[in-house]
Amino acid sequence: MANIFLLDEFTVSQIAAGEVVERPVSVVKELVENSLDAGANRIIVNLWEGGTAGIEVCDNGSGMDEKDAVLAFQRHATSKIKSSTDLGRVITMGFRGEALPSIAAVSRVTLKTRPPEFVGGTQVEVQGGEIKEVRPAGCPAGTAVTVHDLFYNTPARRKQLKSAATESGLISDLVARFALTRPAVSFELTLQGRKAFYTPGSGELIDAAVTVFGADMVREMLPFEGSEGTLKVEGYVSKPSLSRSSRRYQTIIINGRYVRCPAISKTIEDIYRPFLSAGRWPVTVLALTIDPFFLDVNIHPAKLEVKLQEEEKVTGLINRVLHEVLHNRSVIPVIRPGRPVKEEADIRQPALNLTAASSQLEKEELLVYGQVDSKNCSVADAGIEAEINRNQPKLPELTPLAQLFPTYILAEGEEGLYIIDQHAAHERVLFEQYNTSAKKDNGGSQILLYPVTLELGYREVQLLNKYIFQLTEAGFVLEHFGGNTFLLRGIPSYLPSGQERQLFLDLIESLEGQEQAAFPQRLAAAMACRHAVKAGEKLGMPKMKALLEQLAETENPYICPHGRPTITHITFHDLSTKFKRG
Ligand code: ADP
Ligand code: MG
């Protein structure tokens, strides 16, 4: 009864390839790591169709002679360790000798390489893991690997690929992270032959940060550094005036490697908690240098997570250094020339008048919730779906009783106790108001007295280019000023003025990974989010009452524009059962 078979070589390589090469971004990661390991200080990544049509990584590193160029495609061929005893002191990025064979197993690869001291180079062609051709070739010093037809022989994998835009977004993010971890290396990314990204490789973190985040953002960031014994920490953190609606803008680098380190993330978030509203995160680049002895790096190349030995020592140092930076005078927001000062002043005023909400919105202190996983929220969560009848008002008449935390409004209604999330509810109200005005105004613009200069990061420029038509149609007037700089000259006419910059940046951010068709709703949702009353803000009875009345008038009072429930309900029946009243 022989049920156990040895897998053939091809199957083995396909399985291994599946582990290392999940999608185009994993190919780029492995190739760039090889270039870094080869000592390159200039790395160019060229992408076609988000890498699905082609990926090329060129470097000016050590290159390989003909023998090594061929060996490199053999499984477990590596120049980086000789035996398991070397594993403890691995400082290079890759060492398992798996990347090139795995990539080659699921694509067609051309490798051109020449060590700088050689006159001639070598070209190797590999297809589905088989070496097809090796010949001398003229090529620049260094190595260029071109990967075509990724997953051509694994159709299931190929099917799983997302759109070119999504794949190139992932790759742009990856290259951006590499650029931040290695400021001394110049990185360039082109998409379809057009330059999307370039860092000078000056060795200064700030130069890489300007490319990644844009000069606007970097101006709102503060440098920090500190050390304790052999432990060293340095980087840039955002002033409390700058925050984002996702954690994606946090970069942690340990010993020159981008990592995830929950202990450090938590330390940073705890420090910012008093400064930021819920759902907002700081922008941070934090580079830690530490004796590798105190680090538990999971040595699987796809895993980025590290654990720290003597964690308290590290988090203690970070805590101390960041506290010093954040409690300094420089934290006060910069007022840029060319912008009306009124704008800055208004942001400080938390006055809210919900009865005149539509005209007074610009006076509010604002809050933006992050993207919410809409899968976890549904109308049913509101617990009142079954009571709905088309001819009846969508909500029962509600009388506010009190504010809880102060984030929720407790209200009494005919069917029991209702709990309303004040931010989500106000978002819903504003969202519908904006949608209606947008339809009426039909793309009209108001020209700003002072144009707002936007110095954007690479990601924002990509999104802006993608959505320029929709933005213009919606009433935004934008002018390209050169490089990554744009002038915002006008905004949709129904928008309250003030805060144009933040609103625009929030809008752009919210477009990431979205369908183009939903643009007007995205815009309305971004604005509603920014202008809605925030969680934690105290509301008096009249404001609560006004908000509940306005919510009752909306088309869909049960969920906010991001899909979170606005209201939940405990029935009298539930209460009677709980208190055993029968
Ligand atoms: P690993 O990086 O784990 O050693 P790879 O399959 O990624 O395994 O690469 C195999 C070997 O090929 C490397 O050890 C290195 O010697 C060589 N190599 C790969 N890419 C380059 C490059 N860009 N420049 C110089 N040598 C390279
Ligand atoms: Mg490698």
Side-chain angles (χ1 to χ4, degrees), residues 20 29-35 37 77-78 80 93-101 103 301:
V20 181
K29 173 176 177 287
E30 295 295 340
L31 295 180
V32 171
E33 286 188 350
N34 281 349
S35 298
D37 284 345
T78 178
K80 296 165 195 172
M93 311 285 278
F95 54 82
R96 309 203 320 174
E98 272 188 345
L100 283 181
I103 294 166

Side-chain angles (χ1 to χ4, degrees), residues 20 30-40 57-65 68-69 71-81 92-103 111-113 142-145 301:
V20 181
E30 295 295 340
L31 295 180
V32 171
E33 286 188 350
N34 281 349
S35 298
L36 289 170
D37 284 345
V57 176
C58 312
D59 68 52
N60 64 351
S62 61
M64 287 171 270
D65 62 19
D68 280 353
L71 256 181
F73 286 98
Q74 264 179 42
R75 200 156 291 283
H76 306 303
T78 178
S79 56
K80 296 165 195 172
I81 55 173
T92 49
M93 311 285 278
F95 54 82
R96 309 203 320 174
E98 272 188 345
L100 283 181
S102 298
I103 294 166
L111 172 100
K112 284 188 195 174
T113 185
T143 303
V145 181

